[in-house]
Amino acid sequence: SRVFSTELVKPGNVVSGVVERVTPDAIVLDVTSQGHFKGTVSPQHLADHSGHAALMKSALRPGYEFDQLLVLDVEGSNLILSAK
């Protein structure tokens, strides 16, 4: 389900986010949902096939918006996300 401002962000929710930066180990996103969160997507959670994930990661730039990211876990104010 989509996250609305009245809900807490928890595993299983779907959120949107904007790429802040791409590092060798993760894509860091700015997620806006009840408050302000940072989120990370590991390269293996970009696509089911490793070749597609690598291609997708190489094309990502700051400002790219993901409209559907699955919350896998919450670590403090950092969300662990999947784009699959």
Side-chain angles (χ1 to χ4, degrees), residues 7-77:
E7 295 179 24
L8 294 175
V9 178
K10 59 186 179 221
N13 287 136
V14 175
V15 297
S16 60
V18 176
V19 174
E20 188 175 280
R21 67 183 184 277
V22 179
T23 70
D25 299 322
I27 294 83
V28 179
L29 299 117
D30 186 26
V31 178
T32 306
S33 175
Q34 188 177 351
H36 180 74
F37 293 94
K38 291 293 179 191
T40 56
V41 177
S42 64
Q44 64 264 29
H45 283 286
L46 285 174
D48 288 328
H49 186 274
S50 63
H52 292 151
L55 182 61
M56 194 169 175
K57 182 177 180 234
S58 70
L60 287 175
R61 300 287 179 261
Y64 179 85
E65 185 173 343
F66 283 96
D67 64 345
Q68 291 189 337
L69 295 164
L70 178 65
V71 178
L72 299 176
D73 200 2
V74 179
E75 295 177 347
S77 62

